[in-house]
Amino acid sequence: MRETLEGRRLGFALRPLLAGVALGLAVALTLLDLMAWFGWGARSTNGFVIAAYWVSIAVAIVALLGIVTAVAELLDAPDEDRSLARLDVLAVSVATLLYIVTAAIRAFDLGAAAASPPAFLLAIAALVVLIAGTAMSSLLYASREWEEIEEVTHERHRRRRTAS
């Protein structure tokens, strides 16, 4: 399971991918909030409020998955990268907490014309933290090269012995 969370079985690290998905959803949430606040493209902005609520939940879920993969990466990080990996876990944890809080606040404002100012400001703060976490995870894990998984190494070694 740990190898899957680290991305070894997939061939690429999952943390930068999840960070990018969360960042895209966070930008969509910000755009929905701005569309509701300024009334862009619609007479009734209630649809924007409801969509922003569900997108905030989606961002929180993807960020929670990001926490799991960031912790798995932290356990495998080399000593020189361990402090940055801890900072990445902290960033994604703070962003997740902020998105959970903004989703909880939005749950009470579903009939409003736009998101309440605290919900909007928390989402903006979470977006800033998420941008920093995404950049950090991309630098730390996207170009990571792993050694071969031991199971595969043993299988290849046995094949060579039987062939000769």
Side-chain angles (χ1 to χ4, degrees):
M1 182 66 162
R2 181 175 167 187
E3 291 172 348
T4 303
L5 291 174
E6 291 173 351
R8 292 178 191 228
R9 298 271 180 201
L10 302 171
F12 57 89
L14 279 175
R15 172 68 184 114
L17 175 71
L18 289 172
V21 170
L23 184 60
L25 287 170
V27 169
L29 174 64
T30 304
L31 288 175
L32 284 169
D33 280 343
L34 290 174
M35 290 171 75
W37 271 82
F38 296 113
W40 295 335
R43 288 189 180 157
S44 173
T45 57
N46 192 299
F48 294 140
V49 173
I50 293 171
Y53 168 68
W54 286 106
V55 171
S56 67
I57 292 172
V59 176
I61 290 170
V62 172
L64 279 172
L65 292 173
I67 290 174
V68 173
T69 57
V71 169
E73 292 283 359
L74 172 66
L75 297 175
D76 193 45
D79 290 336
E80 62 269 6
D81 290 339
R82 195 164 300 269
S83 61
L84 285 175
R86 273 189 236 126
L87 193 58
D88 179 42
V89 171
L90 180 66
V92 72
S93 299
V94 168
T96 303
L97 179 66
L98 290 173
Y99 279 114
I100 289 171
V101 171
T102 191
I105 292 171
R106 289 168 191 272
F108 297 108
D109 292 337
L110 291 179
S116 66
F120 178 68
L121 292 175
L122 283 172
I124 295 297
L127 178 64
V128 170
V129 173
L130 203 57
I131 288 170
T134 301
M136 199 174 343
S137 70
S138 296
L139 292 174
L140 277 173
Y141 310 122
S143 63
R144 177 179 279 183
E145 295 180 14
W146 295 290
E147 70 277 357
E148 282 189 49
I149 299 172
E150 291 180 23
E151 299 166 0
V152 176
T153 305
H154 294 305
E155 289 176 12
R156 288 185 183 167
H157 186 63
R158 278 189 231 140
R159 285 186 202 154
R160 288 184 191 156
R161 283 188 178 173
T162 57
S164 54

